[in-house]
Amino acid sequence: YAPKGFAGYGEYRGSIAAFLFSWPRGWRTGEAPVKLQKIGGAGLATIDEPETGPRFGADGLSIEMNPGAERMARSKLGPYYEVMPDGRRDVFAPGDQAMNAELVWMRTYAGCWPEGERIPFNGAIPFAIE
């Protein structure tokens, strides 16, 4: 969850409210997912670069959408997001290659605001430092 969203303006966004969800033994087990909270303060909750896909922390969960490898994801929990309850340091199901996995499916949720309600961060202005 990225409370400040993604705009693709090259920002490192901080938020103590950011979190990841994962299923400890894979989503097909019927177990409830676990919530992995942002740790170590608000800094670097998400990386919002236009050249890459979603990135949570420097390495909590990264789906960089590289051409030819759009389904590859990396995860290293601990520095920016809590580790799994069993101590594992990635969000992938046991049996997947440690810290790397090819995504089979991914869900993305977006906010829905009533007509006339202010949408957070919709007025962001892109800038470049040269």
Side-chain angles (χ1 to χ4, degrees), residues 50-126:
E51 302 85 14
T52 67
R55 292 171 62 192
F56 291 82
D59 47 14
L61 177 63
S62 178
I63 307 164
E64 295 190 17
M65 310 287 280
N66 292 324
E70 295 87 355
R71 294 179 172 263
M72 294 308 297
R74 292 180 295 123
S75 175
K76 179 182 174 189
L77 300 173
Y80 297 95
Y81 287 89
E82 293 179 303
V83 299
M84 295 291 276
D86 64 2
R88 278 195 351 256
R89 300 184 74 80
D90 62 68
V91 297
F92 307 124
D96 285 338
Q97 182 179 346
M99 299 188 186
N100 293 290
E102 184 172 353
L103 300 176
V104 175
W105 62 270
M106 181 177 91
R107 287 188 181 170
T108 303
Y109 298 92
C112 182
W113 288 267
E115 185 69 33
E117 185 173 332
R118 181 184 164 277
I119 300 172
F121 305 102
N122 73 332
I125 300 171

Side-chain angles (χ1 to χ4, degrees), residues 14-45:
S15 176
I16 196 65
F19 60 86
L20 297 169
F21 268 116
S22 184
W23 285 262
R25 293 186 302 144
W27 64 275
R28 290 186 178 110
T29 64
E31 286 180 304
V34 295
K35 180 179 177 181
L36 305 170
Q37 296 180 325
K38 172 73 178 80
I39 58 173
L44 206 60

